[in-house]
Each structure stands twice: as structure tokens, then as C-alpha cells.
């Protein structure tokens, strides 16, 4: 398995379950977290879990490649470029909604959570496209 694919998988395993729990709490139990410190602690716990899983994965990939330079070939660069390009448009679309539309009818934590959702969605899409790029049929161009 390519290092870029391994890192994308670790990122998905760390990010998706953690943020799914975060958004389930935000949507399903809105009265559970009422103060700003409670919300920040919840968000810090989620980002801590995500970071711990990703850093563990990064350490495992680096350990596996000990003594080898992490070299990306043209296929790796093409897969990552395609994933970045598509995820960028999702991120920009989501943040346009958050920054230009939502302030007219929402505020506070609704905007913050919508921005976090846009960022997490774009990063999830990026990692899914990277994994698909290695597992799907080879593509020569966009």
C-alpha cells in the first residue's frame, strides 16, 4: 500500500468516527452542551482523538519506511492533485454558505459548526478520493 494511501486511510479512521460523534451530539443533544467551555472541551476531545489516530498512523508509516526516503512518483502526485482539486471546490462552496449566507439568519455556534462541517466534509472527500485513486481504475488525466 502506498504511503499516501495509508495516511489517507488513517486520517479517515481518525476523523470520520470522531466527528460523527461530535455532530451527533450537536444535532441530537443540543441542550447537552450549553456553555462555551463545554462546547470547546467537546471539540477539543474530538480533535484530540483525530490527531492521536492520525499521528499514530503517521508513526507507523514512517516506521515501515525506516531507511527509505518517502518518494512520491507521478501517479501519487496526480492522485493527490485530483483529490485536492475536487475537495477544494467543496470547501469553498461550504465556506461561501457559512460566511456569506448564514450570517443573515444564524449566528454563534451554528456558524462555527457549519464551518467545521464544511472543513471535515472537504477533508473526508479528499481522503476518500485518494484511497479511490489507488484502488480504482488507473486514470491518465483529470
Amino acid at each position: 500500500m502506498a504511503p499516501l494511501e495509508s495516511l489517507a486511510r488513517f486520517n479517515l479512521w481518525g476523523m470520520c468516527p470522531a466527528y460523527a460523534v461530535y455532530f451527533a451530539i450537536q444535532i441530537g443533544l443540543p441542550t447537552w452542551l450549553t456553555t462555551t467551555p463545554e462546547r470547546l472541551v467537546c471539540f477539543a476531545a474530538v480533535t484530540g482523538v483525530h490527531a492521536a489516530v492520525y499521528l499514530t498512523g503517521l508513526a507507523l508509516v514512517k516506521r515501515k519506511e525506516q531507511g527509505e526516503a518517502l518518494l512520491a512518483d507521478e501517479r501519487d502526485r496526480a492522485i493527490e492533485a485530483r483529490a485536492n482539486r475536487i475537495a477544494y471546490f467543496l470547501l469553498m462552496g461550504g465556506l461561501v454558505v457559512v460566511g456569506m449566507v448564514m450570517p443573515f439568519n444564524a449566528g454563534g455556534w451554528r456558524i462555527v459548526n457549519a464551518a467545521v462541517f464544511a472543513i471535515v466534509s472537504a477533508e473526508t472527500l479528499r481522503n476518500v478520493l485518494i484511497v479511490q485513486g489507488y484502488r480504482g481504475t488507473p486514470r491518465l488525466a483529470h
Side-chain angles (χ1 to χ4, degrees):
M1 186 178 305
L4 183 61
E5 181 186 4
S6 297
L7 290 175
R9 287 181 184 273
F10 279 116
N11 204 0
L12 285 170
W13 279 106
M15 185 173 43
C16 292
Y19 285 102
V21 169
Y22 175 77
F23 289 118
I25 290 171
Q26 297 297 321
I27 294 168
L29 302 167
T31 59
W32 194 51
L33 301 172
T34 55
T35 65
T36 299
E38 289 173 345
R39 290 177 184 264
L40 290 175
V41 166
C42 180
F43 187 67
V46 167
T47 56
V49 168
H50 176 205
V53 172
Y54 181 76
L55 291 175
T56 301
L58 181 62
L60 289 173
V61 168
K62 291 292 185 186
R63 185 174 176 199
K64 181 179 173 186
E65 296 180 338
Q66 197 168 13
E68 296 179 21
L70 179 61
L71 299 174
D73 61 8
E74 291 302 317
R75 180 176 180 229
D76 295 329
R77 289 189 197 103
I79 288 170
E80 187 173 21
R82 178 177 180 267
N84 288 342
R85 186 174 44 253
I86 294 170
Y88 172 80
F89 288 114
L90 176 63
L91 177 65
M92 287 299 108
L95 292 182
V96 163
V97 170
V98 168
M100 298 175 74
V101 176
M102 286 186 73
F104 292 109
N105 59 11
W109 282 97
R110 287 190 64 203
I111 291 177
V112 171
N113 286 331
V116 169
F117 183 75
I119 293 166
V120 168
S121 297
E123 189 63 17
T124 300
L125 177 62
R126 177 183 171 275
N127 288 302
V128 165
L129 290 173
I130 288 172
V131 171
Q132 178 196 14
Y134 284 100
R135 296 296 167 203
T137 58
R139 298 174 67 118
L140 298 176
H142 307 285

